[in-house]
Amino acid sequence: MADLRVHQPDVIVAAGGGSVADSAKALALMLPAGANLAAYAVGQPAPPRRALLPIVSLPTTAAAAEVTPSIGLAEEGRKRLFWCRDVAATEVLIDPDLAAGLPRERLLATAVNGIAHDLEGLYSRQRSPVSDALALHSLGLFAVALAPDTDPAAARRQILAAAHLSGMVLSMARTCLHHAICHVIGARHGLAHGAVNCVMLPHVLRFNAPAAPQALAAAAQAIGRASGAQGGVAAHDWVIGLREAHGLPVSLRALGLAAANLPEIARLCMHERGVALNPRAVPDADTVLHLLEQAYGPALSRSTA
């Protein structure tokens, strides 16, 4: 860090996925003399504002980290979150050709992460009309991009655009129970965030459906309009269909997680801030454990009603 300060860079360029984008943000916060990253931890009083180096971001996945003012850092088996409204990228270049070499499954899994940003944003206790509008438009773009007959180059373009909007939703509305679970599993057991999203999202959507009927109905309409489905399709069924169509992960067992770890994961989830923003109350760790046990076993089937 001292060498970088001597070099006096003018800009930080971040080309890559969410980890690269978050690393660039952390670097921007740590570069000023006397800076301390811990001062930006979520829950701490905001430190005095200071001039930060601009970040130019070239995203290659659908993580949407380039647009968010947050940083996720896995540390000692926990995911610590840092927040600074000045640290989102100053300039963003969305070029689908940059993602051409990314394994297809990884791009699609990160797209499900973006879909989760939208759906959780629609029913978050911190949602707003603006975040709703962005989420619904983003879901429509995802639905077109992930249709089976979409040209791969066009799909990459739509996915990256949809993901960028989903990052704006995340910045405004934050996330809920689903991301709380994904953060704990990823930080504690080193599993890819996109893959865990693929497994957990339908289960949490079904859990929250009774508490968020209007939000999920709006999501179904947006997905249906974009995909041409008559009458729309329930969000959890749509995600299940995406997993089936694209060969994405369907169970925690398949990701290599041991069943013995589920109770600890459930307990740690209760300390995540996303639980407080969830539309349906999460009274105890046993509630989370039940969802984890559902996600551990056989794949969830689509609704027949």
Side-chain angles (χ1 to χ4, degrees), residues 227-249:
S227 61
Q230 293 295 324
V233 57
H236 61 267
D237 283 339
W238 178 56
V239 175
I240 292 169
L242 292 178
R243 297 190 318 191
E244 294 173 352
H246 297 292
L248 298 172

Side-chain angles (χ1 to χ4, degrees), residues 93-153:
L93 173 61
I94 299 177
D95 183 349
D97 289 342
L98 294 176
L102 190 72
R104 182 171 176 272
E105 182 175 328
R106 187 178 303 174
L107 178 63
L108 294 176
T110 62
V112 176
N113 179 33
I115 290 168
H117 293 162
D118 292 331
L119 293 171
E120 290 208 288
L122 283 171
Y123 58 50
S124 167
R125 294 181 185 274
Q126 195 167 302
R127 52 164 290 276
S128 71
V130 176
S131 63
D132 285 355
L134 290 169
L136 293 173
H137 186 51
S138 175
L139 284 172
L141 292 176
F142 276 126
V144 172
L146 298 173
D149 57 349
T150 303
D151 173 75

Side-chain angles (χ1 to χ4, degrees), residues 21-45:
D22 277 4
S23 296
K25 298 175 198 175
L27 183 60
L29 290 178
M30 295 168 62
L31 265 176
N36 179 7
L37 183 61
Y40 296 92
V42 170
Q44 296 293 324

Side-chain angles (χ1 to χ4, degrees), residues 7 21 24 31 45 52 57-58 71 81 115 127 142 148 153 158 166 181-182 197 199 206 223 232 238 244 270 288:
H7 180 64
L31 265 176
L52 301 176
S57 184
L58 294 79
I71 302 168
L81 295 178
I115 290 168
R127 52 164 290 276
F142 276 126
Q158 294 273 53
S166 82
I181 295 172
C182 294
N197 270 268
V199 171
R206 278 190 172 177
I223 295 164
W238 178 56
E244 294 173 352
M270 296 305 295
V288 182

Side-chain angles (χ1 to χ4, degrees), residues 36-109:
N36 179 7
L37 183 61
Y40 296 92
V42 170
Q44 296 293 324
R49 297 183 69 177
R50 60 173 73 199
L52 301 176
L53 279 183
I55 298 174
V56 176
S57 184
L58 294 79
T60 60
T61 73
E66 73 278 358
V67 75
T68 65
S70 61
I71 302 168
L73 175 64
E75 185 177 73
E76 297 179 353
R78 299 290 298 273
K79 185 161 187 173
R80 295 189 64 194
L81 295 178
F82 304 85
W83 190 272
C84 176
R85 60 181 176 176
D86 299 320
V87 83
T90 308
E91 303 289 342
V92 179
L93 173 61
I94 299 177
D95 183 349
D97 289 342
L98 294 176
L102 190 72
R104 182 171 176 272
E105 182 175 328
R106 187 178 303 174
L107 178 63
L108 294 176

Side-chain angles (χ1 to χ4, degrees), residues 133-202:
L134 290 169
L136 293 173
H137 186 51
S138 175
L139 284 172
L141 292 176
F142 276 126
V144 172
L146 298 173
D149 57 349
T150 303
D151 173 75
R156 285 197 305 272
R157 182 172 62 253
Q158 294 273 53
I159 286 172
L160 292 176
H164 187 74
L165 294 179
S166 82
M168 295 181 183
V169 176
L170 168 62
S171 298
M172 296 179 186
R174 310 292 179 92
T175 54
C176 305
L177 175 61
H178 166 74
H179 266 81
I181 295 172
C182 294
H183 287 166
V184 171
I185 293 176
R188 197 73 175 171
H189 299 283
L191 299 182
H193 186 57
V196 180
N197 270 268
C198 293
V199 171
M200 290 305 312
L201 185 56

Side-chain angles (χ1 to χ4, degrees), residues 235-280:
H236 61 267
D237 283 339
W238 178 56
V239 175
I240 292 169
L242 292 178
R243 297 190 318 191
E244 294 173 352
H246 297 292
L248 298 172
V250 300
S251 73
L252 295 177
R253 184 199 300 269
L255 295 181
L257 192 67
N261 293 319
L262 301 185
E264 180 193 41
I265 292 169
R267 177 179 57 81
L268 292 174
C269 284
M270 296 305 295
H271 300 285
E272 292 288 314
R273 67 187 179 111
V275 172
L277 297 177
N278 202 62
R280 182 175 175 181

